[in-house]
Amino acid sequence: MQNREAYRVLGILGGLGPMATVYFYEMLTEHTKVTRDQDHIDMVISSRATTPDRTAFILGQSDENPLPVMVEEAGRLIRAGAEVIVLPCNTAHYFYDELSRQTGVPIINIITETVSYCAAQGWNKVGILATEGTVKSGAYHEVCRRAGIEAVAPSEAEQAVISDIIYGQIKKGLPVDYDRFFAVADSLRAQGCQTLILGCTELSLLKKSGKLDRYYTDSLAVLASVTIRACGKEPTGWEL
């Protein structure tokens, strides 16, 4: 994301889910180059955990639309001084255009920035590991198509495994079945994917565990790096 003048106050529209929001804040704090407290990014954080489930609404399994809650929380951030907003949830970007229209301040797009990062690496075929809502909405596939990148999703059975890891394990705070996760990952790798995008910020927590190598592109890390630069700071201490 290009900006001529750095944003002074960042708003994090979080709680989608809460642990991913905590990890994103940790990333920003740990990877901003500073020499004192005052060098860090000024930010305000909303963690509206009661926001209706995004995937359930997208798939038609619930009529509770999360958008009004997201708009309300964005307004709260703006009233608290936020000049730019980040949304550390890939699935919630299904509502990105309407949220941007109703909010009226810039919102950094995690999907666009992640695909841009992949394009900059010269990759032309990527795998998408995400919620069923993100996959079914085609959000990554459309942005990849515009960038000249082929996006590959897991099979229906493999997607069920990833969904269970996200909703049945990570969101519940239970141990992750890495054998099942890597079985899906190996299937996509065998199809020629040059990287696998962790397109759900709950899956970013697997990268944090240290069990995933650089073959995996963490959308949350990409968002953090872009956000740090958008706020006029320098990212440090990691390799995406």
Side-chain angles (χ1 to χ4, degrees), residues 52-223:
D53 187 85
R54 283 66 61 199
T55 288
F57 181 80
I58 292 169
L59 298 179
Q61 299 168 352
S62 169
D63 59 3
E64 290 188 88
N65 187 347
L67 178 61
V69 178
M70 293 163 60
V71 171
E72 179 183 348
E73 288 307 300
R76 191 191 305 268
L77 292 172
I78 293 167
R79 290 192 297 275
E83 299 170 322
V84 62
I85 289 174
V86 288
L87 185 57
C89 172
N90 285 268
T91 309
H93 280 65
Y94 175 84
F95 308 94
Y96 178 85
D97 290 342
E98 186 60 23
L99 179 64
S100 296
R101 188 186 71 79
Q102 294 194 40
T103 299
V105 301
I107 302 176
I108 302 174
N109 191 308
I110 191 173
I111 295 176
T112 300
E113 297 297 345
T114 300
V115 173
S116 294
Y117 170 79
C118 291
Q121 309 312 305
W123 295 327
N124 53 36
K125 188 173 185 178
V126 303
I128 309 298
L129 297 174
T131 65
E132 188 177 359
T134 296
V135 172
K136 289 289 179 65
S137 74
Y140 267 100
H141 286 73
E142 175 58 24
V143 178
C144 282
R145 184 192 64 77
R146 294 199 300 263
I149 297 174
E150 179 183 356
V152 181
S155 69
E156 186 174 341
E158 291 168 341
Q159 181 60 51
V161 170
I162 297 301
S163 295
D164 183 57
I165 288 172
I166 294 169
Y167 282 93
Q169 297 174 11
I170 300 173
K171 283 183 178 290
K172 292 182 178 181
L174 298 176
V176 171
D177 188 334
Y178 280 95
D179 288 341
R180 297 179 73 208
F181 175 83
F182 285 125
V184 176
D186 289 345
S187 174
L188 293 173
R189 189 192 292 256
Q191 295 177 56
C193 294
Q194 295 157 296
T195 189
L196 298 187
I197 293 174
L198 301 178
C200 170
T201 51
E202 263 74 31
L203 294 178
S204 299
L205 297 169
L206 303 188
K207 191 73 174 285
K208 182 184 182 183
S209 75
K211 295 185 179 181
L212 306 188
D213 60 22
R214 292 193 64 195
Y215 178 64
Y216 298 85
T217 296
D218 182 2
S219 62
L220 196 62
V222 172
L223 179 64

